[in-house]
PDB file of all heavy atoms in Angstrom:
ATOM      1  N   ARG R  15    -138.524 -32.718-112.067  1.00 98.00           N
ATOM      2  CA  ARG R  15    -137.255 -32.521-111.474  1.00 98.00           C
ATOM      3  C   ARG R  15    -136.421 -31.533-112.219  1.00 98.00           C
ATOM      4  O   ARG R  15    -135.219 -31.294-111.915  1.00 98.00           O
ATOM      5  CB  ARG R  15    -136.523 -33.920-111.408  1.00 98.00           C
ATOM      6  CG  ARG R  15    -137.191 -34.879-110.439  1.00 98.00           C
ATOM      7  CD  ARG R  15    -137.313 -34.311-109.063  1.00 98.00           C
ATOM      8  NE  ARG R  15    -137.734 -35.254-108.059  1.00 98.00           N
ATOM      9  CZ  ARG R  15    -137.772 -34.948-106.738  1.00 98.00           C
ATOM     10  NH1 ARG R  15    -137.509 -33.715-106.359  1.00 98.00           N
ATOM     11  NH2 ARG R  15    -138.180 -35.821-105.883  1.00 98.00           N
ATOM     12  N   LYS R  16    -136.967 -30.956-113.285  1.00 98.00           N
ATOM     13  CA  LYS R  16    -136.229 -30.018-114.100  1.00 98.00           C
ATOM     14  C   LYS R  16    -136.201 -28.604-113.419  1.00 98.00           C
ATOM     15  O   LYS R  16    -137.188 -28.207-112.869  1.00 98.00           O
ATOM     16  CB  LYS R  16    -136.909 -29.942-115.478  1.00 98.00           C
ATOM     17  CG  LYS R  16    -136.101 -29.227-116.533  1.00 98.00           C
ATOM     18  CD  LYS R  16    -136.881 -29.270-117.876  1.00 98.00           C
ATOM     19  CE  LYS R  16    -136.358 -28.225-118.831  1.00 98.00           C
ATOM     20  NZ  LYS R  16    -135.058 -28.530-119.390  1.00 98.00           N
ATOM     21  N   VAL R  17    -135.037 -27.918-113.566  1.00 98.00           N
ATOM     22  CA  VAL R  17    -134.976 -26.537-113.036  1.00 98.00           C
ATOM     23  C   VAL R  17    -135.502 -25.596-114.118  1.00 98.00           C
ATOM     24  O   VAL R  17    -135.108 -25.659-115.261  1.00 98.00           O
ATOM     25  CB  VAL R  17    -133.494 -26.194-112.699  1.00 98.00           C
ATOM     26  CG1 VAL R  17    -133.403 -24.726-112.240  1.00 98.00           C
ATOM     27  CG2 VAL R  17    -132.937 -27.131-111.616  1.00 98.00           C
ATOM     28  N   SER R  18    -136.497 -24.762-113.759  1.00 98.00           N
ATOM     29  CA  SER R  18    -137.157 -23.880-114.719  1.00 98.00           C
ATOM     30  C   SER R  18    -136.312 -22.671-115.041  1.00 98.00           C
ATOM     31  O   SER R  18    -135.529 -22.194-114.211  1.00 98.00           O
ATOM     32  CB  SER R  18    -138.523 -23.482-114.186  1.00 98.00           C
ATOM     33  OG  SER R  18    -139.370 -24.623-114.081  1.00 98.00           O
ATOM     34  N   GLU R  19    -136.540 -22.121-116.228  1.00 98.00           N
ATOM     35  CA  GLU R  19    -135.758 -20.922-116.705  1.00 98.00           C
ATOM     36  C   GLU R  19    -136.476 -19.673-116.314  1.00 98.00           C
ATOM     37  O   GLU R  19    -137.679 -19.587-116.386  1.00 98.00           O
ATOM     38  CB  GLU R  19    -135.691 -20.990-118.267  1.00 98.00           C
ATOM     39  CG  GLU R  19    -134.890 -22.150-118.795  1.00 98.00           C
ATOM     40  CD  GLU R  19    -133.377 -22.049-118.474  1.00 98.00           C
ATOM     41  OE1 GLU R  19    -132.880 -20.921-118.387  1.00 98.00           O
ATOM     42  OE2 GLU R  19    -132.740 -23.126-118.335  1.00 98.00           O
ATOM     43  N   PRO R  20    -135.730 -18.583-116.043  1.00 98.00           N
ATOM     44  CA  PRO R  20    -136.327 -17.299-115.743  1.00 98.00           C
ATOM     45  C   PRO R  20    -137.093 -16.741-116.972  1.00 98.00           C
ATOM     46  O   PRO R  20    -136.689 -17.017-118.081  1.00 98.00           O
ATOM     47  CB  PRO R  20    -135.170 -16.381-115.398  1.00 98.00           C
ATOM     48  CG  PRO R  20    -133.990 -17.252-115.157  1.00 98.00           C
ATOM     49  CD  PRO R  20    -134.237 -18.552-115.908  1.00 98.00           C
ATOM     50  N   VAL R  21    -138.132 -15.969-116.680  1.00 98.00           N
ATOM     51  CA  VAL R  21    -138.857 -15.291-117.734  1.00 98.00           C
ATOM     52  C   VAL R  21    -138.159 -13.990-117.976  1.00 98.00           C
ATOM     53  O   VAL R  21    -137.862 -13.202-117.042  1.00 98.00           O
ATOM     54  CB  VAL R  21    -140.317 -15.032-117.237  1.00 98.00           C
ATOM     55  CG1 VAL R  21    -141.093 -14.128-118.223  1.00 98.00           C
ATOM     56  CG2 VAL R  21    -141.049 -16.378-117.081  1.00 98.00           C
ATOM     57  N   THR R  22    -137.883 -13.646-119.245  1.00 96.00           N
ATOM     58  CA  THR R  22    -137.163 -12.411-119.528  1.00 96.00           C
ATOM     59  C   THR R  22    -138.193 -11.246-119.781  1.00 96.00           C
ATOM     60  O   THR R  22    -137.906 -10.105-119.460  1.00 96.00           O
ATOM     61  CB  THR R  22    -136.277 -12.522-120.774  1.00 96.00           C
ATOM     62  OG1 THR R  22    -136.971 -13.201-121.797  1.00 96.00           O
ATOM     63  CG2 THR R  22    -135.024 -13.352-120.418  1.00 96.00           C
TER      64      THR R  22
END
Side-chain angles (χ1 to χ4, degrees):
R15 294 304 190 176
K16 193 177 162 72
V17 176
S18 295
E19 296 291 330
V21 170
T22 46

